[in-house]
Amino acid sequence: MNDWPEGWTEQPHPRRGRGGPPQPEGARVMPHVSRQAPPGQGGYGQGPAYGDHRYDGYEQSYAPPQRGGGGYGPPSRYDHDDHDAYRPRPNWGRRIKWTVISLVMVMLVTGVGTYLWADSKLRREVDLSVVEERPDSGKGTNYLIVGTDSREGLTAEEREDLRTGHAEGARADTMMVLHTGSNGNALVSLPRDSWVTIPEFTGSSSGNRIPASQNKLNAAYAMEGAELLVRTVEYNTGLRIDNYAEIGFGGFASVVDALGGVEMCFEEAVQDKNSGADFAAGCQDLDGGQSLAFVRQRYQEAMGDLGRTQNQQKFLGALGNQVASPATLLNPFRLYPTMGASLDSLIVDEEMSVFELGRMFLALRGVQGEGGTQMNVPVADPGYATDKGSAVLWDKEAAAQLFEQLKNDETVTATDG
């Protein structure tokens, strides 16, 4: 005899057949229900005890003991061994956002730090404010780029390897005006033996008044350095020089070596025992010493010094192209050594900024592109006889046209032919 409430009967177990818990007649048996208590008796609320378990007055699933407290009850997040399944899913959008923000901050800090480092290393040694009777500013920007034969920083062995000789001091060996503007970039070489007027000038170091004279262009640098050279270039061209950049033999070679060399292509073999240039026809990478030999050689050139200035323009264009290339700018192992070598070697004016220096290198790259111009100042006589020896006499009419076009930032139509 079973002591079941009236209307309750034994129901088949969903898996074992008979022997299931008592249920009201017609009750639905859930597959996961193992026992059911009569309503209103025992259990957690009012149902009677059945075996070792207690039940409420509704269908209640069997629950294993809860961790940490034991007993039975509703399922909890601890009822599974795989805790990771209940961890919140990662918010990838949030992670990506903070990763991007972190990268931007790192780049910003690195960029600012690099700028401050570079700015502190610039050798601002030329004071353009002492230059007298300066012409009015034109359109665009004009840089005077000067290469000297300075042996500063070179050991006796390095002087021998680079074939620079052992002369002391420094003389202007290369002078070019680089113009940047809205009608293309132009690089114009001013031969060092150009026969020009060196105007009156109060010596920046001696304080003495230097009278006007006719002389070769590089004599201005020999007399009073960069300031008188700028004064002379402005006087003879009518162009206002906005920035000045100068580099010596040793610094030039160091920059090329830091870049890993510069590729140059030769239509024919180049040999010059005086400079040490010895290159086969075709394309090849030149290291610092080889590059210096190439830009200095002139004796095999049919045009002599004028041919040499054309080679210098080609090389500076290739140098600017490599400095401003992604292979250099995006490679810190090449960028920072190149910047370090350049900043240690370049002498610039007091107003030159790192930003302007970067613009100058980009402009050197641009002279080789579409719309760029590379030329010598128009020449009337490359072997003009003077009391200072053979000099280069400018074609006054064609030169005046060229400088007027540069000043007004017009397309250059003047030629050096």
Side-chain angles (χ1 to χ4, degrees):
M1 179 69 66
N2 294 314
D3 295 331
W4 295 338
E6 183 179 353
W8 286 64
T9 61
E10 182 181 37
Q11 300 295 323
H13 191 278
R15 290 187 298 275
R16 295 195 299 271
R18 294 188 61 81
Q23 301 281 353
E25 290 185 6
R28 180 170 61 89
V29 179
M30 301 300 289
H32 61 281
V33 174
S34 58
R35 296 174 179 85
Q36 186 72 24
Q41 300 182 36
Y44 289 106
Q46 302 175 18
Y50 181 78
D52 295 327
H53 308 285
R54 297 182 181 274
Y55 298 88
D56 294 323
Y58 54 87
E59 292 182 6
Q60 173 67 46
S61 298
Y62 173 81
Q66 295 188 23
R67 297 183 184 178
Y72 299 88
S76 74
R77 63 188 182 93
Y78 297 108
D79 291 342
H80 298 265
D81 293 331
D82 187 4
H83 304 309
D84 291 341
Y86 287 87
R87 291 179 180 173
R89 293 183 179 180
N91 188 333
W92 288 109
R94 182 184 179 88
R95 289 188 179 185
I96 292 173
K97 180 185 75 172
W98 283 107
T99 298
V100 171
I101 291 175
S102 298
L103 288 174
V104 170
M105 291 299 296
V106 169
M107 293 175 64
L108 181 62
V109 171
T110 301
V112 172
T114 299
Y115 184 91
L116 294 176
W117 166 75
D119 188 72
S120 68
K121 288 178 67 68
L122 268 181
R123 297 175 59 184
R124 298 183 176 93
E125 300 176 9
V126 177
D127 184 7
L128 296 183
S129 67
V130 303
V131 178
E132 304 168 4
E133 301 178 18
R134 308 197 68 184
D136 295 334
S137 296
K139 299 178 181 179
T141 303
N142 297 312
Y143 303 87
L144 180 60
I145 300 174
V146 177
T148 72
D149 63 1
S150 170
R151 283 82 173 168
E152 179 184 0
L154 294 176
T155 65
E157 182 179 357
E158 288 171 332
R159 293 186 184 193
E160 192 69 29
D161 291 341
L162 297 176
R163 300 195 180 194
T164 63
H166 298 276
E168 298 300 325
R171 285 147 291 278
D173 196 60
T174 301
M175 286 153 285
M176 300 180 186
V177 173
L178 172 65
H179 174 82
T180 66
S182 58
N183 285 296
N185 301 326
L187 184 63
V188 179
S189 288
L190 308 177
R192 64 181 182 177
D193 291 337
S194 296
W195 190 248
V196 296
T197 298
I198 297 179
E200 287 186 307
F201 183 70
T202 300
S204 54
S205 56
S206 66
N208 297 326
R209 188 67 179 174
I210 298 172
S213 64
Q214 293 292 116
N215 211 325
K216 295 179 181 180
L217 180 59
N218 63 350
Y221 186 93
M223 290 178 185
E224 285 291 337
E227 288 82 4
L228 181 55
L229 178 60
V230 170
R231 164 93 165 111
T232 302
V233 169
E234 291 187 340
Y235 183 88
N236 288 273
T237 66
L239 297 173
R240 186 183 181 95
I241 299 302
D242 299 293
N243 291 108
Y244 176 94
E246 172 190 317
I247 191 168
F249 282 166
F252 178 83
S254 297
V255 172
V256 175
D257 285 335
L259 274 172
V262 173
E263 184 182 56
M264 291 295 296
C265 297
F266 306 107
E267 295 181 358
E268 57 184 26
V270 177
Q271 291 183 326
D272 180 10
K273 65 178 182 179
N274 292 285
S275 68
D278 186 5
F279 312 116
C283 297
Q284 53 202 285
D285 287 333
L286 307 187
D287 63 20
Q290 293 170 328
S291 299
L292 185 60
F294 172 65
V295 298
R296 293 180 63 207
Q297 67 88 23
R298 60 173 175 165
Y299 290 101
Q300 79 155 24
E301 297 294 333
M303 297 176 63
D305 198 45
L306 295 179
R308 184 181 72 145
T309 58
Q310 292 177 341
N311 289 336
Q312 292 170 346
Q313 290 176 354
K314 292 177 183 177
F315 187 87
L316 280 182
L319 179 67
N321 187 63
Q322 194 151 328
V323 168
S325 70
T328 299
L329 298 178
L330 300 180
N331 182 355
F333 298 103
R334 179 173 291 180
L335 174 62
Y336 284 99
T338 301
M339 290 181 63
S342 301
L343 296 170
D344 286 339
S345 307
L346 283 171
I347 295 174
V348 299
D349 64 275
E350 293 181 349
E351 301 302 317
M352 177 75 87
S353 67
V354 175
F355 177 74
E356 277 297 333
L357 190 61
R359 284 189 62 209
M360 187 186 79
F361 276 108
L362 287 173
L364 284 173
R365 184 186 190 188
V367 296
Q368 292 189 323
E370 184 177 354
T373 300
Q374 298 181 81
M375 61 184 295
N376 283 313
V377 63
V379 171
D381 187 353
Y384 183 66
T386 73
D387 59 351
K388 300 291 192 296
S390 180
V392 175
L393 184 66
W394 293 359
D395 182 329
K396 291 185 178 180
E397 184 176 343
Q401 179 190 16
L402 169 64
F403 297 136
E404 188 68 17
Q405 289 174 342
L406 293 179
K407 185 171 185 176
N408 296 327
D409 193 28
E410 300 171 350
T411 301
V412 175
T413 60
T415 64
D416 57 2

